[in-house]
Amino acid sequence: MSAPFNADEMRTIVNSIITYVLNGASTKLPIKEKDIMQTIDKKGKLFNAALQRAGEILKEVAVPESKGAKSYICFSEDSGKSLLMHDEKQKNQLILLFIILSFIFMRTTTSIPSISEAYLQNFLKTLHIDFDVPHEYFGNNIRKLITDTFVKQLYLKREKSNSDLETEIKYCYSWGFRAHQEFDKKCLLFATAQIMKKPAKAFGTKYDEVCKDEEDAG
């Protein structure tokens, strides 16, 4: 039977992994296992054991991007504390993200799980937010923020629309993996209802959906 790993070495590697993950959390980009391995210059069984231990310590804030994935995302379940960690520019971007996620949530169904890019653009224009026009509050490059940054951060999923009748490539949007981790659909629904000055129950299908999610989680 092989001897257990040296405790001091294991502790050092675990701390290095945790430091790497937390330092990379601010970008909100997925953290790849291979990048961690290369940075701390460890591999094999020792690295795998240390990674597992670090994962147990970070389980409240870091999860695999998907089942069996070799990359991870860091998120905060405490949105209040999370907001305090952002500068003014990032807070403004989160407001735009909140608007987009709310719109997607309210306009999608089980049978239609995404919305077209054109539909999203038209909605944002009603709020005087244009993909190709600098915005005083949300920044100079709205298109990149929505089609690239939010997508890479896994807040949005942007996929090509499949249609044999159209030659032009079109895209559709749905909630990304990080959005499901960090945003509460019930909060989005109640915020939308408040803005529209309607009771949340007026949005019957969506109200039933968030209630069911609560029951399943409980």
Side-chain angles (χ1 to χ4, degrees):
M1 183 175 180
S2 59
F5 300 117
N6 179 276
D8 290 337
E9 185 178 14
M10 172 65 77
R11 189 180 304 110
T12 299
I13 297 174
V14 169
N15 289 340
S16 296
I17 292 174
I18 292 174
T19 299
Y20 181 89
V21 170
L22 294 180
N23 285 341
S26 61
T27 67
K28 296 198 172 186
L29 297 175
I31 298 168
K32 297 180 180 179
E33 188 175 306
K34 66 177 183 179
D35 292 337
I36 302 175
M37 189 184 302
Q38 290 173 356
T39 300
I40 67 174
D41 195 25
K42 296 291 180 182
K43 58 184 179 180
K45 292 182 179 180
L46 177 59
F47 172 78
N48 291 334
L51 183 65
Q52 182 177 351
R53 176 59 184 145
E56 292 170 356
I57 296 172
L58 292 169
K59 65 182 179 181
E60 297 300 326
V61 295
V63 295
E65 181 183 338
S66 61
K67 187 176 181 180
K70 295 293 184 180
S71 59
Y72 305 83
I73 67 166
C74 284
F75 68 94
S76 174
E77 291 184 334
D78 191 330
S79 57
K81 290 181 180 178
S82 178
L83 195 59
L84 294 175
M85 295 169 62
H86 299 300
D87 59 29
E88 201 63 31
K89 178 182 177 182
Q90 291 171 324
K91 289 178 183 178
N92 292 348
Q93 291 178 353
L94 282 175
I95 291 172
L96 176 59
L97 178 63
F98 185 90
I99 292 171
I100 293 171
L101 290 176
S102 297
F103 181 68
I104 293 174
F105 172 62
M106 298 300 292
R107 289 293 184 269
T108 53
T109 63
T110 304
S111 57
I112 307 176
S114 62
I115 63 170
S116 70
E117 188 164 82
Y119 191 24
L120 176 60
Q121 284 183 300
N122 289 335
F123 164 70
L124 291 176
K125 282 182 180 179
T126 66
L127 303 177
H128 306 291
I129 304 169
D130 193 299
F131 265 43
D132 299 307
V133 177
H135 194 280
E136 180 181 2
Y137 196 74
F138 298 125
N140 293 327
N141 199 332
I142 300 297
R143 178 177 292 276
K144 182 179 180 182
L145 184 60
I146 295 174
T147 66
D148 184 71
T149 304
F150 288 160
V151 174
K152 287 180 177 177
Q153 292 175 339
L154 304 182
Y155 280 120
L156 295 176
K157 183 184 292 185
R158 183 175 186 252
E159 299 174 298
K160 291 181 180 179
S161 300
N162 295 321
S163 175
D164 296 331
L165 302 177
E166 298 175 344
T167 56
E168 181 185 357
I169 297 176
K170 295 185 178 181
Y171 293 90
C172 58
Y173 291 83
S174 57
W175 277 39
F177 181 78
R178 183 187 291 277
H180 286 286
Q181 301 295 327
E182 293 187 4
F183 284 84
D184 186 333
K185 290 180 179 179
K186 184 176 182 179
C187 289
L188 266 66
L189 172 61
F190 276 75
T192 300
Q194 186 174 16
I195 291 170
M196 299 184 70
K197 297 180 179 180
K198 293 182 178 181
K201 288 185 178 180
F203 303 92
T205 303
K206 290 301 174 182
Y207 184 80
D208 291 342
E209 181 180 332
V210 296
C211 288
K212 185 178 184 303
D213 287 346
E214 278 194 336
E215 290 177 4
D216 293 342

